[in-house]
Amino acid sequence: MRLGLLGTGNVARALAHGWSAAGHDVLLGSRQPKERTDLGLPVGSLDEAAAHAEVLVNATPGTVSVELLHSIGAPALAGTLLIDVGVGLSDDFTELSHPNSSLGEQIQEAFPLTPVVKTLCTMDSTAMTAPDALDGPSTVFLSGNDTEAKRTTGRLLTDLGWPASSQLDIGGITTARGQEHFALLFMGIAGGLGSHTFNIKVVARPAA
């Protein structure tokens, strides 16, 4: 598939490398593409990444994501699956910029013709693209209103190493709040472990 990734930070680069290794055609989108030619990955403008994409991935800071998407424009995004992995956090990582909502919901509200799926925001970029490197299987969540969009997202997650058994669909886009609000607990766990590379696993009671 043709994948456009908005952003050139650690998350965008990790995902681009992971999906490129799986055979997808990736293009990173940057506000200053001429200054980001040293990444070992193709880089274009935000508009070029959106035009390239069958699936668009938002890996920009959650505090500016909606503004950046508006700069591309709703017509350019209409009908394109948007996978949102962003979280809006304050500079000191202690407060959420969407305390009573979620970035995923705000993107879906702003762009109603663009199916949004929230995923991969409960872990760092290393775990996103190398789940097998963790000490056992863990869980990746999907939130979104469009069933087919979540199905496509699930296939892309599988290409990163997430088997279907590790993927948990938790419902509509409003459930993105839980994924994003986990960021505060994530920072606490990271402090306790002394590492940002970990993930969680949902453990249910065995079936009767």
Side-chain angles (χ1 to χ4, degrees):
M1 299 185 73
R2 297 189 312 277
L3 306 180
L5 295 98
L6 304 178
T8 56
N10 291 338
V11 170
R13 296 198 307 271
L15 292 173
H17 280 298
W19 278 319
S20 179
H24 297 288
D25 179 3
V26 303
L27 178 65
L28 293 172
S30 171
R31 284 176 290 186
Q32 288 130 358
K34 293 182 180 178
E35 298 178 12
R36 306 298 288 165
T37 59
D38 58 339
L39 303 180
L41 291 161
V43 182
S45 68
L46 298 175
D47 289 342
E48 288 170 336
H52 172 82
E54 295 175 89
V55 176
L56 193 62
V57 181
N58 174 48
T60 63
T63 51
V64 299
S65 295
V66 174
E67 176 186 347
L68 290 178
L69 290 167
H70 275 303
S71 75
I72 297 170
L77 301 176
T80 300
L81 164 58
L82 189 146
I83 298 174
D84 175 36
V85 302
V87 176
L89 281 169
S90 60
D91 291 341
D92 62 0
F93 303 108
T94 63
E95 296 182 6
L96 293 162
S97 58
H98 307 95
N100 299 309
S101 179
S102 67
L103 174 61
E105 288 175 88
Q106 295 204 358
I107 293 173
Q108 186 63 89
E109 182 179 2
F111 303 94
L113 299 181
T114 299
V116 177
V117 178
K118 189 81 188 189
T119 192
L120 288 171
C121 70
T122 54
M123 64 198 78
D124 79 344
S125 60
T126 302
M128 289 179 188
T129 56
D132 289 347
L134 300 175
D135 188 16
S138 58
T139 305
V140 61
F141 304 98
L142 297 94
S143 301
N145 297 336
D146 188 293
T147 300
E148 184 57 36
K150 285 193 279 192
R151 189 174 293 119
T152 299
T153 302
R155 291 196 294 268
L156 289 170
L157 290 173
T158 299
D159 290 341
L160 293 176
W162 294 96
S165 58
S166 290
Q167 300 177 28
L168 183 59
D169 181 346
I170 59 174
I173 195 62
T174 57
T175 65
R177 297 181 190 187
Q179 293 199 56
E180 294 183 26
H181 289 204
F182 178 75
L184 300 179
L185 180 56
F186 177 94
M187 297 307 298
I189 295 171
L193 289 177
S195 170
H196 289 84
T197 302
F198 62 90
N199 196 27
I200 59 173
K201 180 181 180 180
V202 174
V203 181
R205 293 181 65 180

